Each structure stands twice: as structure tokens, then as C-alpha cells.
């Protein structure tokens, strides 16, 4: 993919494809409900298509017309807990960690054995984080060295557990909460490190399941040892009632446009209908603190999720001129990282144009995403002439720095491809990103066309 530098981004995007995290949950949770759910603005990503394919293989009746997916839930008046069908073959989760980890939670409560497979990237990602809690709940799991293929031998009912998470991961939390639907009693998940995205909690409530969530220490029965972070609990056996869902535009997709506009002086961009869940919107407040002119407008609630419009204006004077608004804004670390996890590569790119540069810490999880995102970001930034220091848990980039067009590598990772498409727009001279066209479809097939539609050269 060849990308020429841009002058600025201008225009209005009337919406973006549906949020990937919300779409996965909409499909999975609708499958467990009683009745028919219509999901509109379902994500166009390959990842979310993988979730639907797996559900079909589990006997679910689905129809898809464009971005509207209709799911006939598997629960009935006789059995409020959905009984899925044993699939004939392994379920292919493609590149999608969310599909594999969330589905494992659902399958733990089904009385049959299933195997979940994935592509070569997904087969390198850690699965022990879901194997451990699901085994504590009474399911049996198998994986070689903690990696897919992942065999899940489910059981019903499962044991309710109180689980303290060793990594800040919404996928693990969601896996345990979904399995908790098939447990006898209350399942609790404690997030001591950071509060991760809470779409599962919000969507379960939308379907009528009582889900409690609060600051640890204030939760009755959570145990006196639980003193920091958040605790989420779900009642097993609750009935889920189908209810239509409108998926908000994906803020993680919007982030690439917002970052590009923030970097290019003279830019003026509006993006409507974007999900602004506070556990996801950290990228907007971070860009603001780094000196960008970005704000959210017209925020309203849709299907338990806040949605609104993002308005962004191009950076300070000349190329490379974002001035942080506060001391310490140049260091991203601690619990904030969970809220920025998918946006860190593009924030590192933005960091090259910030006075004082940018440091990212406590982000070791980035090494086990679709690629080693720390390594991939560092190598590509260096290729463009940036000064970068690499740490096991992050990186430090100097700024403001002149970026020059270069040969870059997407490392087969959609978010690396899009982050460096943004870098290429802000560089001098053309760049080529190896493998970019092929991988953006994992989350955002329309990315390059939409970007072109608002780019001025
Ligand atoms: C996701 C959670 C995050 C994120 C991923 C989607 C989700 O992963 O990186 O893109 O939908 O729950 P972890 O929970 O593993 O951090």
C-alpha cells in the first residue's frame, strides 16, 4: 500500500462501521436469549464475521442483510438457558481473540466438547488466562502450551467463582461473566489492576440480566481481601430476553482519523454516531491533554451505550506542533493503559509530533496482540527517522520529530497498518506499507477508502 503525504483532513463522516467489541457481544448474547434480536450497524470486520460463522456452526439461525444481522436466540420458555448444538467440526475463530475467548466462556456451559482454532497469529496468543478460570468453574479445557487449538469440554451447571484477574483484560472478564450465566449462584470478577471495557456488562443488562458492578470494597460478599479496583458480578440462571440493538460506530476505528486530523494543521473533521463509552474514550481525553483540539458533542444513550459526535481540528502551528496541556501528559501508564490499549500504536505515532515526545509504560499486553505491537511500532517509527527507545512494557519516542516516508511493515496486524497509514500522511515523501491492504479488513475494511474521502493533498 503506497501512501502519499497529506495537507489536511476535512469533512464530515456521517457514521462509521459498528464497534467490533459491541458487535461480538451482540451476536453472542443474542444467541443466548429467548426471542429474535435485530442488530443494526453490525461491524463489517472479518473478526465479527468469524463470530457469526461460529454461532451458525453451533446451530443458531442467523440472517445477515448488509449491516443488519438477525439472530434467533437459542433459549426457550422450557429452558431459559440456551442449549447450543454440538458442531460437526472445529470452530474457526480466524484472527479474532475476542471470538475465541468469549466463545470459550459460552461453550464452558454447554454439555459437549468443541475445539476452537485460529490463524497463525491467534494460535500464538495466550489462552491460559481463560483456561484457568473456566477450569475453576468445572469445565475441562485443553491446549498445547496454553495456545490454540483450544478444546472446551463444557458442563452444566458450572460452579460460580470469585475470580481475581491477573491481567487487565476485558476478554477474560467477559469470558468468565458469560460462563457465569451457566453457573448455579453468583460469579464475581475482580479487576484489581484496571477497569477494562464494560460492554458485556451493559449488554447483559440490556437483555435483562442483573449485573452488579462497583468499586471493590463496597461490594457485599466480595470478601474483605478485595480492596481496590472493580468487582463485577452476575447471577447464574438468569433469563435473557431478546431486544434489538443499534451498534455505535467504532471509536477504535475513529481514532485513526482523529489522530491524523490532530496531526495535520488546517484539518477540520466531524465523525457522527461514535460509541463514547468511558472505558473506551480514553483516546479522546489523551489527545486533548497532548494538545490536540478534539471534543465530543451531542452525547446520548443508545442501548445502554453513550454515543455522540467527535469534532477535531488540526494541530498547532506548522507540522509537528502539539503542546501538552499539563505536566505529565507525555507519560501514558497505569490503569489508563487498559482504556487506550488498541489506540497505543497510533498514539505513539502522534507522540512523534508532541513537544517532549511520548512515553508509554505498563503496556506489556501489547506484545501479545495480533502482533507484538511494541516491536512493530518501534521498528516502523525508526524506519521513518524517529528516535525511539524500546522497553519490555512500552516505548519512548522523542518529539517533535520530522517523519520521512519509508518502507514500512504492517506485520500482518490491522492496527499497525492503520497507525502507520496515519504516520505516512504526516511524513514528507511517500511511504509503502507492506501487507496493509490485506489486513485492515480484520477490523475496518473501509479504512483506506474512507481515509481517501476526507484527505486533501
Ligand atoms: C477487546 C478487549 C481488548 C482489546 C480487543 C478487544 C474486547 O483485549 O485489545 O481489541 O472486545 O473485549 P484484551 O481484553 O485482551 O485486553
Amino acid at each position: 500500500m503506497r501512501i502519499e503525504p497529506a495537507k489536511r483532513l476535512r469533512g464530515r463522516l456521517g457514521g462509521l462501521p459498528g464497534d467490533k467489541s459491541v458487535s461480538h457481544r451482540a451476536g453472542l448474547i443474542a444467541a443466548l436469549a429467548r426471542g429474535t434480536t435485530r442488530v443494526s450497524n453490525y461491524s463489517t470486520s472479518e473478526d465479527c464475521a468469524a463470530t457469526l460463522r461460529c454461532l451458525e456452526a453451533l446451530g443458531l439461525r442467523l440472517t445477515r442483510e448488509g449491516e443488519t444481522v438477525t439472530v434467533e436466540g437459542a433459549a426457550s420458555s422450557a429452558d431459559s438457558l440456551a442449549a447450543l448444538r454440538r458442531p460437526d467440526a472445529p470452530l474457526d475463530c480466524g484472527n479474532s481473540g475476542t471470538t475465541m475467548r468469549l466463545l470459550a466462556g459460552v461453550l464452558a456451559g454447554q454439555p459437549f466438547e468443541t475445539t476452537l482454532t485460529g490463524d497463525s497469529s491467534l494460535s500464538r496468543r495466550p489462552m491460559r488466562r481463560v483456561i484457568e478460570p473456566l477450569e475453576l468453574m468445572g469445565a475441562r479445557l485443553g491446549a498445547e502450551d496454553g495456545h490454540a487449538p483450544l478444546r472446551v469440554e463444557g458442563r452444566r451447571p458450572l460452579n460460580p467463582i470469585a475470580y481475581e484477574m491477573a491481567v487487565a483484560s476485558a476478554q477474560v472478564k467477559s469470558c468468565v461473566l458469560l460462563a457465569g450465566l451457566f453457573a448455579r449462584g453468583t460469579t464475581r470478577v475482580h479487576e484489581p489492576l484496571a477497569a477494562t471495557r464494560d460492554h458485556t456488562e451493559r449488554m447483559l443488562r440490556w437483555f435483562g440480566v442483573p449485573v452488579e458492578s462497583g468499586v471493590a470494597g463496597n461490594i457485599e460478599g466480595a470478601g474483605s481481601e478485595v480492596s481496590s479496583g472493580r468487582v463485577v458480578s452476575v447471577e447464574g440462571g438468569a433469563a435473557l430476553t431478546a431486544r434489538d440493538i443499534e451498534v455505535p460506530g467504532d471509536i477504535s476505528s475513529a481514532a485513526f482519523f482523529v489522530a491524523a486530523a490532530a496531526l495535520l494543521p488546517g484539518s477540520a473533521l466531524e465523525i457522527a454516531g461514535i460509541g463514547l463509552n468511558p472505558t473506551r474514550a480514553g483516546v479522546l481525553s489523551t489527545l486533548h491533554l497532548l494538545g490536540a483540539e478534539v471534543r465530543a458533542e451531542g452525547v446520548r444513550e443508545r442501548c445502554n451505550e453513550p454515543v455522540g459526535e467527535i469534532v477535531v481540528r488540526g494541530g498547532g502551528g506548522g507540522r509537528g506542533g502539539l503542546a501538552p496541556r499539563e505536566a505529565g501528559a507525555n507519560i501514558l501508564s497505569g490503569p489508563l493503559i487498559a482504556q487506550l490499549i488498541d489506540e497505543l500504536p497510533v498514539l505513539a505515532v502522534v507522540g512523534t509530533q508532541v513537544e517532549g515526545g511520548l512515553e508509554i509504560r505498563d503496556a506489556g499486553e501489547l506484545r501479545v496482540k495480533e502482533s507484538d505491537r511494541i516491536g512493530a511500532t518501534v521498528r516502523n517509527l525508526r524506519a521513518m527517522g524517529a528516535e525511539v527507545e524500546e522497553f519490555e512494557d512500552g516505548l519512548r519516542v522523542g518529539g517533535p520529530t520530522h517523519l520521512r516516508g519509508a518502507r514500512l511493515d504492517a506485520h500482518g496486524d490491522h492496527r499497525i497498518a492503520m497507525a502507520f497509514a496515519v504516520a505516512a500522511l504526516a511524513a514528507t515523501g511517500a511511504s509503502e506499507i507492506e501487507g496493509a491492504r490485506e489486513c485492515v479488513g480484520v477490523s475496518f475494511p473501509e479504512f483506506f477508502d474512507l481515509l481517501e474521502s476526507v484527505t486533501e493533498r
Side-chain angles (χ1 to χ4, degrees), residues 28-336:
L28 286 167
I29 294 175
L32 303 180
R34 183 178 164 204
T36 304
T37 299
R38 242 173 74 103
V39 186
S40 50
N41 202 33
Y42 189 85
S43 166
T44 53
S45 67
E46 286 161 15
D47 274 9
C48 290
T51 290
L52 296 184
R53 271 199 310 277
C54 291
L55 289 173
E56 279 182 318
L58 287 161
L60 269 304
R61 299 233 310 258
L62 309 169
T63 52
R64 180 164 193 170
E65 276 174 49
E67 279 75 72
T68 301
V69 175
T70 307
V71 183
E72 282 185 41
S76 64
S77 50
D79 186 359
S80 68
L81 285 185
L84 307 182
R85 190 188 70 195
R86 182 197 179 114
D88 307 324
L91 301 180
D92 183 4
C93 303
N95 190 245
S96 176
T98 311
T99 305
M100 186 171 283
R101 296 192 179 116
L102 269 58
L103 201 51
V106 171
L107 293 171
Q110 307 297 321
F112 52 75
E113 189 183 313
T114 326
T115 300
L116 300 172
T117 62
D119 68 6
S120 59
S121 151
L122 183 52
S123 303
R124 285 192 296 271
R125 299 181 63 188
M127 292 299 146
R128 280 211 182 94
R129 53 185 64 193
V130 294
I131 294 175
E132 184 189 280
L134 294 178
E135 287 196 324
L136 289 171
M137 296 179 85
R140 289 173 58 174
L141 286 94
E144 206 157 306
D145 201 22
H147 296 106
L150 182 64
R151 201 172 41 75
V152 185
E153 199 182 318
R155 204 184 85 177
R156 193 180 287 185
L158 293 166
N159 312 316
I161 56 169
Y163 192 66
E164 172 160 327
M165 298 216 301
V167 283
S169 164
Q171 294 180 358
V172 176
K173 173 178 66 176
S174 302
C175 167
V176 177
L177 293 175
L178 291 172
L181 296 173
F182 301 96
R184 194 170 274 152
T186 310
T187 295
R188 289 192 177 80
V189 184
H190 177 208
E191 300 189 284
L193 304 168
T196 60
R197 63 191 68 189
D198 64 355
H199 304 300
T200 302
E201 296 89 308
R202 288 168 182 261
M203 191 154 311
L204 284 173
R205 289 191 196 109
W206 183 250
F207 279 79
V209 177
V211 178
E212 302 244 339
S213 162
V215 178
N218 296 338
I219 302 280
E220 218 179 297
S224 55
E225 72 283 4
V226 173
S227 56
S228 66
R230 291 188 77 76
V231 173
V232 185
S233 60
V234 66
E235 289 307 314
L240 287 84
T241 310
R243 201 168 166 201
D244 292 351
I245 299 167
E246 199 184 315
V247 180
D250 196 323
I251 189 168
S252 297
S253 298
F256 298 107
F257 291 82
V258 177
L263 287 181
L264 297 170
S267 294
L269 190 66
E270 289 154 24
I271 316 176
I274 301 299
L276 296 170
N277 180 314
T279 61
R280 294 283 299 285
V283 62
L284 302 183
S285 45
T286 298
L287 284 170
H288 173 81
L289 283 175
L290 289 174
E293 272 189 57
V294 53
R295 61 179 193 277
E297 283 184 356
V299 183
R300 59 205 185 272
E301 194 95 349
R302 285 283 178 280
C303 312
N304 279 355
E305 292 278 353
V307 180
E309 175 154 332
I310 301 175
V311 179
V312 52
R313 300 273 176 267
R319 263 171 204 255
L322 290 180
R325 296 176 201 266
E326 279 178 13
N330 306 57
I331 301 179
L332 309 179
S333 63
L336 175 64

